[in-house]
Amino acid sequence: MSWIDQVGKLLRQHTSGGAAAAPAADVNAIFDQVSKEAPSGVIAEGLAAAFRSGQTPGCGRMLSTLFANSTGEQKAGMLNQLLTSVSPSLLTKVLSGVGLAGLAGGPGARITPDEAQKLTPEAVQQLAANAEKSNPSIIDTISGFYAQHGALVKTLGGTVLTVALTKIAERQRQT
């Protein structure tokens, strides 16, 4: 049985009509199973839908939650993705606002895990919100990154997971 068949059956039990149902009590377990069976690109599509959904908090807020729950490596990975979509002047402004102007570096600068630990979730929220405004496709990039970190994604809560699972179910129905 293919992953689509396995996951499709599971998802049909917990979503209805293409709209997100109320979060199932076992949505974390369902997401665990789906994230193990489905290709990461499919998981990324579901996460992107959740980041863009009007049913979930804004992208900046969700990324700040993920950041707060991440390891130093995960924080640096996510920040380095965001930096590609933020102008140097905005980056300097945001980092200066939290006393970290020295992290701005020059073009192509990369934030290390130790440097990432110095940023606050609030600064990340501001960076993410501005990155999304200047380059909406950053959501797809960030979703691809977090598709590799299913346990971390679960910290976003049942509603976000339900929206992501609903998108995955929609994709499964289209194939």
Side-chain angles (χ1 to χ4, degrees):
M1 185 181 289
S2 74
W3 77 266
I4 292 175
D5 296 330
Q6 293 171 351
V7 173
K9 181 179 177 185
L10 180 68
L11 292 176
R12 281 189 297 277
Q13 296 171 11
H14 298 282
T15 59
S16 61
D26 56 351
V27 71
N28 285 326
I30 296 166
F31 187 81
D32 275 341
Q33 186 173 349
V34 171
S35 66
K36 289 175 187 163
E37 298 290 332
S40 63
V42 173
I43 301 300
E45 281 182 43
L47 294 176
F51 280 122
R52 291 183 173 110
S53 175
Q55 298 172 306
T56 61
C59 178
R61 189 163 147 212
M62 288 195 292
L63 286 179
S64 73
T65 298
L66 289 168
F67 181 84
N69 291 296
S70 293
T71 65
E73 290 279 327
Q74 291 166 333
K75 288 177 180 182
M78 185 267 284
L79 287 169
N80 286 319
Q81 301 277 329
L82 282 180
L83 296 182
T84 64
S85 294
V86 178
S87 71
S89 61
L90 175 63
L91 180 60
T92 300
K93 178 183 173 189
V94 170
L95 294 178
S96 295
V98 294
L100 298 171
L103 295 182
R110 309 268 307 157
I111 291 182
T112 67
D114 288 338
E115 292 169 333
Q117 297 283 37
K118 296 176 184 177
L119 282 155
T120 64
E122 295 77 20
V124 171
Q125 182 172 347
Q126 187 177 0
L127 277 173
N130 283 292
E132 181 186 12
K133 284 178 189 170
S134 64
N135 180 8
S137 70
I138 190 65
I139 290 175
D140 300 314
T141 303
I142 292 294
S143 296
F145 176 80
Y146 281 113
Q148 306 298 318
H149 303 283
L152 183 57
V153 170
K154 292 189 315 183
T155 65
L156 293 173
T159 300
V160 171
L161 296 179
T162 299
V163 170
L165 288 169
T166 299
K167 178 62 176 179
I168 292 168
E170 284 176 11
R171 184 184 193 283
Q172 183 272 332
R173 282 191 288 270
Q174 293 171 354
T175 56

